Amino acid sequence: MAKTTLAAPAEHSAEWSPILQELESLRRKVAERAEFVEDLAHELRSGLTFLRGYVDLFLAGTLGPISDKQRHALEVMARRTDAVLHLLDQMLSLERARAGHLELSPAVDIAEVVQHSVQSMRVAADQAGVQIEVQCPPCLLVEGDARRLLQVVDNLLSNAIKFSYPGSKVRIAVSDDGDEVGISVADEGVGIAPEEQQRIFERFYRSPRGSGKADGTGLGLVIVRAIVEAHGGRIWVESELGKGSTFHIALPKRQERARSAP
């Protein structure tokens, strides 16, 4: 986890001291909240995993024969337990991102992150009848957490595929935008209504676009935004109903550090 040390300019130390103390207190509170959520999620996950194990034993017949009606009920329990476990993972991921829990690397090549994500999404795209096009120049570097940035691209690609029409294309592009590295994920799908374009970044909001497709937790884009902002970046969407959506990300480019004089 990256930790920031707050320090006041020497010439204004007296003026800055109360502000820095307040910021440090706020930082501690955020860290304590993240630790509480992590502990709570661990306890809940342990109990649910224990329950899920017994459901599996019943379904496997290890604890004796079950009727078709009992099997159906157990299968429903298994699906709902898995859904709650996934929700816990999402909530934990969100709290970690908001608390700035990042494993920073001084040089993350965004091209590699994108290529890894595209490779993992190929099967889902093929099953949906969607073609992925990639425009990704190499060696555009940011300082960041490669695993978290992969999570961002995975989420945007997964959504683009999910809300695309069969036979359409999803385009992901990386660009050199001066002091920033740009990432865009565009689809030719159902689009997002103007009044929804800010709400999609709210917790637990699930867009009604694409009937039957909004089956997630409603936290995916919230986590994406939290991770992007933890990297000092920005995220926004441009969309038109019936024509598709483009999600844009801007991340600060890695700054070359000045070499020390011999």
Side-chain angles (χ1 to χ4, degrees), residues 134-172:
V134 183
Q135 182 181 349
C136 192
C139 298
L140 288 178
L141 306 179
V142 301
E143 182 177 356
D145 186 327
R147 184 173 61 87
R148 292 292 188 181
L149 292 173
L150 178 61
Q151 183 179 356
V152 166
V153 179
D154 279 350
N155 184 282
L156 295 182
L157 265 182
S158 176
N159 281 349
I161 293 168
K162 179 167 62 174
F163 292 107
S164 288
Y165 300 115
S168 64
K169 295 179 180 179
V170 167
R171 297 175 176 87
I172 180 166

Side-chain angles (χ1 to χ4, degrees), residues 48 50-83:
L48 287 169
F50 183 79
L51 175 63
R52 184 66 165 83
Y54 270 96
V55 170
D56 287 341
L57 288 175
F58 276 111
L59 287 172
T62 305
L63 301 179
I66 57 176
S67 67
D68 290 342
K69 188 174 182 179
Q70 289 170 328
R71 177 173 296 278
H72 174 73
L74 288 165
E75 287 172 348
V76 171
M77 288 177 62
R79 287 194 299 271
R80 296 310 302 162
T81 303
D82 288 343

Side-chain angles (χ1 to χ4, degrees), residues 76-105:
V76 171
M77 288 177 62
R79 287 194 299 271
R80 296 310 302 162
T81 303
D82 288 343
V84 175
L85 286 169
H86 179 61
L87 176 60
L88 283 172
D89 288 340
Q90 292 283 77
M91 293 179 67
L92 185 56
S93 184
L94 176 60
E95 285 301 320
R96 286 172 173 169
R98 284 180 166 171
H101 288 204
L102 301 173
E103 297 177 3
L104 294 178
S105 168

Side-chain angles (χ1 to χ4, degrees), residues 122-134:
R122 287 288 186 193
V123 173
D126 290 344
Q127 291 175 342
V130 175
Q131 181 181 347
I132 301 177
E133 291 187 353
V134 183

Side-chain angles (χ1 to χ4, degrees), residues 73 87 116 144 154 163 178 197 205 209 219 225 241-242 253:
L87 176 60
H116 288 158
D154 279 350
F163 292 107
Q197 291 179 23
Y205 180 75
R209 62 187 178 133
L219 288 175
R225 183 174 66 176
L241 281 175
K253 189 183 294 182

Side-chain angles (χ1 to χ4, degrees), residues 200-221:
I200 58 174
F201 294 103
E202 296 176 4
R203 284 188 302 172
F204 302 116
Y205 180 75
R206 294 192 289 180
S207 171
R209 62 187 178 133
S211 178
K213 293 187 176 183
D215 55 358
T217 61
L219 288 175
L221 287 175

